[in-house]
Amino acid sequence: MSEEKSLNFIEEIIEADLESGKYKTILTRFPPEPNGYLHIGHAKSICLNFGLGLKYGGKTNLRFDDTNPVTEDTEYVESIKDDIRWLGFNWANEFYASDYFDQLYAFAIELIKKDLAYVDDISAEEMAILKGSPTEPGKNSPFRSRSIEENLALFTAMKEGKYKDGEKVLRAKIDMGHVNMLMRDPIIYRIKHAHHHRTGDKWCIYPMYDFAHGQSDSIENITHSICTLEFIPHRELYDWCIEKLNIFPSHQYEFARLNMTYTVMSKRKLLQLVNEGYVSGWDDPRMPTLSGFRRKGYTPESIRNFCDKIGVAKRENLIDISLLEFCLREELNKTSLRVMAVLDPVKLIITNYEDGKTEELISENGPEESMGSRTVPFSKELWVEREDFMEVPAKKWFRLAPGALVRLKSAYIVKCEGFTKDEAGNVTEIQCTYIPESKSGGDSSGISVKGTIHWVSAAQAINAEIRLYDRLFKAENPAAEEGDFKDNINPDSLQVINNAYIEPSLATATPDSRYQFLRKGYFCLDKDSTKEKLVFNRTVTLKDAWGKEVKRN
Ligand code: ATP
Ligand code: MG
């Protein structure tokens, strides 16, 4: 078991409820609206809800909150299920709020019969005026005193499609002078002549969130209904509906939503990025969606660890994305396969190495012996990283420079004897000699060098495309900036390298594998890869370059 951790406030409530016998077992739910892909904020809610179910021997339902026919789609339903499974959780039941439309309709009829709901004909504008303000009570609508019979007839006619969108609504009859504005006769049903992705054209009236959510919880016997802080004012209405309908008393608890630096976290905003072409899709590796993180190479473990580390707060805050990256590095450092890839290649010729000869050198796959080793071909012509050579070396430069010695990883020590430049002054070739006795694993040269660089053998190397990602936004909290949040997009968030060379073992790379390209970061195979061209995404750099930069300034 992990180290002793203090309980979060929801766990405290649950333990008290179990101890007092209020519930024998707990049932939580994750209730996404299928109007977009899940983002890292949803992961927080998933880990919390499913985590509680697991911790307390209870269960968790997946319930699609599909009461808004216009924005919802089955594509989203499938992606949401995929993402939850990928995160490592299983739901006890898959439900849809739309499965309850008949029941919810019956609840509405019941409220009308109890004189607790009425059909209102006033316009949205009039309704807003009559609603009052936080400091001023509202006024009753002239239609508030309709008889039960008339309300039943009108509501039935609404259901039968006798009216146009917006012509009538059903409102709960509560109190137009209530201090909580949401309790001032909230709309509970509206007319919407729209095709629903599950119920088709059966309905032209749809329940509002507040009339669907609590009742759906209750229908499923959810014990602890956990949502984000903005729903605090809704709790009163949630409780009112349950009380008046005299149904299973589910309870709502609120926690602070996850906000993260350098990104946005609302599906509406993310949809804009997709629709307006700022990213290649919902699973663009720069997106904060779970599918984006997955494609970028994030692991479910790293995201679960992150959610665990940030805990469950009662107050809104902004979490540093470096914490998520830290969780990821911590894992990839242990598990990723070490390989060699040269992203900005320059030729290195070993002048005293036999023409046409190839040696298969052994290289470790990772820090653990259990990860094994592989062979990498070595020959006279190699690719090395352009930045590993300096014509005029800086102080403490331990890499390639005229006259300098350096070790080629898992191979030999070489001495730089010269280099060639083109007319533009770019280095086109570096000439070295190698020391045959210095072979890694059996070095008898007696020479010690400070620098080790990575390389690939030119004849066997595979040409690959490498995609390097940076933050999608320049501003720490783009949604809080003035103006359009998209004005803060980082124009350099994607860098595509077309002519990288990777070691031949990567020919059989699989999408599930995680690689550390030595000294370059963690990478994974992208779904755009073809037989002709492998494409790799950089998942994360080896170190937190941003953190360092801040310190330097
Ligand atoms: P968005 O504003 O991104 O569209 P939403 O709250 O409308 O989010 P839903 O599909 O309704 O999205 O959310 C499903 C569940 O996930 C809800 O219980 C919601 O409270 C929770 N959730 C959504 N965003 C976050 C977040 N940033 N942090 C924690 N939980 C979240
Ligand atoms: Mg929502």
Side-chain angles (χ1 to χ4, degrees):
M1 289 304 282
S2 57
E3 77 259 37
E4 194 76 16
K5 249 179 102 179
S6 59
L7 300 180
N8 66 49
F9 73 96
I10 297 176
E11 291 170 331
E12 279 175 5
I13 292 167
I14 291 177
E15 296 202 356
D17 286 348
L18 290 171
E19 207 163 307
S20 73
K22 183 173 176 185
Y23 303 114
K24 284 205 173 57
T25 176
I26 66 154
L27 187 60
T28 58
R29 87 288 172 263
F30 174 64
E33 185 180 349
N35 62 348
Y37 282 60
L38 297 181
H39 51 62
I40 185 86
H42 292 115
K44 171 78 218 168
S45 175
I46 293 170
C47 291
L48 180 59
N49 279 297
F50 284 90
L52 290 170
L54 287 169
K55 179 167 179 182
Y56 294 106
K59 283 181 179 157
T60 305
N61 287 344
L62 168 59
R63 181 171 72 237
F64 289 100
D65 196 350
D66 58 348
T67 52
N68 183 359
V70 183
T71 52
E72 295 161 1
D73 205 311
T74 38
E75 174 199 343
Y76 298 136
V77 168
E78 291 312 313
S79 75
I80 288 169
K81 292 203 280 184
D82 269 0
D83 285 345
I84 299 172
R85 275 191 220 107
W86 176 75
L87 260 188
F89 296 107
N90 298 304
W91 46 93
N93 299 288
E94 176 182 335
F95 290 136
Y96 293 79
S98 58
D99 292 341
Y100 309 138
F101 280 171
D102 283 304
Q103 177 69 70
L104 294 170
Y105 180 76
F107 284 154
I109 297 280
E110 192 178 330
L111 286 189
I112 295 174
K113 285 184 175 163
K114 288 180 172 166
D115 200 20
L116 291 171
Y118 62 98
V119 173
D120 201 345
D121 300 1
I122 57 172
S123 67
E125 295 74 35
E126 275 176 287
M127 199 180 292
I129 295 166
L130 290 179
K131 197 115 210 193
S133 72
T135 51
E136 234 180 290
K139 293 196 185 77
N140 287 352
S141 158
F143 300 98
R144 197 176 197 263
S145 50
R146 274 178 165 148
S147 70
I148 292 175
E149 291 66 37
E150 189 183 3
N151 281 321
L152 283 174
L154 289 172
F155 189 51
T156 308
M158 278 169 64
K159 181 190 180 224
E160 286 167 355
K162 303 263 164 68
Y163 306 108
K164 291 200 281 294
D165 288 10
E167 227 178 301
K168 287 187 167 32
V169 291
L170 184 71
R171 300 177 73 175
K173 195 188 264 190
I174 307 179
D175 178 2
M176 288 306 290
H178 204 288
V179 285
N180 180 350
M181 297 269 293
L182 283 170
M183 296 295 275
R184 295 182 189 172
D185 290 10
I187 299 175
I188 57 179
Y189 260 94
R190 59 179 172 152
I191 301 171
K192 192 125 217 160
H193 290 271
H195 187 84
H196 186 278
H197 74 108
R198 279 176 64 87
T199 56
D201 297 315
K202 176 174 173 192
W203 296 90
C204 63
I205 56 169
Y206 291 94
M208 302 297 287
Y209 170 87
D210 284 315
F211 196 69
H213 203 87
Q215 284 87 318
S216 300
D217 283 343
S218 180
I219 291 168
E220 293 174 19
N221 284 8
I222 300 297
T223 54
H224 299 82
S225 173
I226 302 159
C227 61
T228 43
L229 293 181
E230 66 273 23
F231 288 97
I232 289 178
H234 295 251
R235 196 201 310 144
E236 222 170 348
L237 182 51
Y238 182 105
D239 291 341
W240 184 90
C241 292
I242 284 178
E243 186 206 318
K244 298 301 175 196
L245 292 166
N246 193 22
I247 51 180
F248 181 85
S250 298
H251 287 283
Q252 175 185 303
Y253 302 94
E254 308 87 9
F255 73 104
R257 64 192 297 119
L258 166 65
N259 301 304
M260 209 165 63
T261 55
Y262 300 103
T263 191
V264 292
M265 208 87 92
S266 111
K267 281 182 281 189
R268 196 174 47 81
K269 291 198 174 75
L270 297 176
L271 183 63
Q272 279 182 52
L273 296 176
V274 173
N275 286 345
E276 294 169 31
Y278 289 98
V279 293
S280 63
W282 283 98
D283 69 346
D284 185 301
R286 292 165 294 175
M287 290 281 271
T289 52
L290 294 183
S291 50
F293 280 120
R294 167 161 36 161
R295 182 166 172 193
K296 199 175 177 189
Y298 275 66
T299 60
E301 291 79 5
S302 63
I303 292 178
R304 290 201 306 261
N305 279 338
F306 168 71
C307 290
D308 197 42
K309 274 205 169 72
I310 56 180
V312 182
K314 272 190 184 171
R315 219 182 288 163
E316 292 265 345
N317 57 359
L318 189 63
I319 302 282
D320 193 333
I321 192 171
S322 322
L323 181 61
L324 176 58
E325 292 172 347
F326 169 83
C327 293
L328 179 69
R329 285 191 190 99
E330 205 177 35
E331 183 190 343
L332 294 182
N333 181 40
K334 288 187 210 130
T335 57
S336 66
L337 297 171
R338 269 60 171 175
V339 292
M340 293 197 277
V342 177
L343 306 195
D344 185 11
V346 63
K347 214 29 129 19
L348 183 148
I349 310 280
I350 303 175
T351 52
N352 61 340
Y353 198 85
E354 205 178 303
D355 284 336
K357 176 176 167 180
T358 307
E359 275 182 272
E360 291 293 336
L361 302 178
I362 294 166
S363 195
E364 303 298 326
N365 288 339
E368 301 295 329
E369 219 169 299
S370 62
M371 294 172 83
S373 59
R374 68 194 185 291
T375 59
V376 280
F378 182 84
S379 66
K380 188 184 181 83
E381 286 194 20
L382 311 175
W383 293 112
V384 294
E385 213 70 66
R386 183 169 296 278
E387 63 176 20
D388 282 337
F389 174 79
M390 269 188 109
E391 186 178 341
V392 184
K395 253 194 198 163
K396 298 206 171 164
W397 177 259
F398 300 121
R399 293 177 263 166
L400 287 166
L405 290 153
V406 71
R407 174 168 293 282
L408 299 176
K409 172 73 185 167
S410 301
Y412 298 94
I413 294 172
V414 292
K415 181 176 182 194
C416 178
E417 308 284 359
F419 62 95
T420 316
K421 273 192 196 177
D422 63 13
E423 280 167 10
N426 300 312
V427 175
T428 52
E429 191 186 285
I430 301 163
Q431 296 95 27
C432 291
T433 50
Y434 85 116
I435 298 162
E437 305 78 50
S438 66
K439 189 165 165 174
S440 289
D443 184 354
S444 60
S445 68
I447 301 170
S448 86
V449 292
K450 283 213 168 94
T452 300
I453 62 171
H454 62 276
W455 52 273
V456 290
S457 172
Q460 295 84 4
I462 305 170
N463 189 222
E465 178 180 320
I466 311 274
R467 297 176 185 169
L468 306 180
Y469 303 99
D470 202 344
R471 291 170 179 170
L472 188 51
F473 290 93
K474 291 176 293 184
E476 191 171 61
N477 191 359
E481 294 288 313
E482 264 181 45
D484 191 337
F485 76 100
K486 286 169 291 179
D487 295 342
N488 299 293
I489 285 184
N490 172 9
D492 304 316
S493 60
L494 170 63
Q495 185 194 345
V496 179
I497 297 173
N498 280 307
N499 61 334
Y501 286 105
I502 61 179
E503 65 168 70
S505 75
L506 286 166
T508 54
T510 58
D512 298 334
S513 299
R514 300 289 181 279
Y515 301 95
Q516 186 192 107
F517 289 4
L518 287 181
R519 303 171 63 222
K520 288 283 134 192
Y522 297 100
F523 291 78
C524 72
L525 194 68
D526 188 78
K527 68 171 190 185
D528 284 347
S529 295
T530 61
K531 266 204 194 100
E532 289 71 43
K533 187 104 180 176
L534 295 179
V535 179
F536 284 87
N537 294 318
R538 185 166 67 195
T539 310
V540 67
T541 53
L542 289 179
K543 291 199 188 96
D544 185 355
W546 284 78
K548 261 196 284 174
E549 208 149 334
V550 172
K551 267 179 229 140
R552 244 185 272 129
N553 289 342

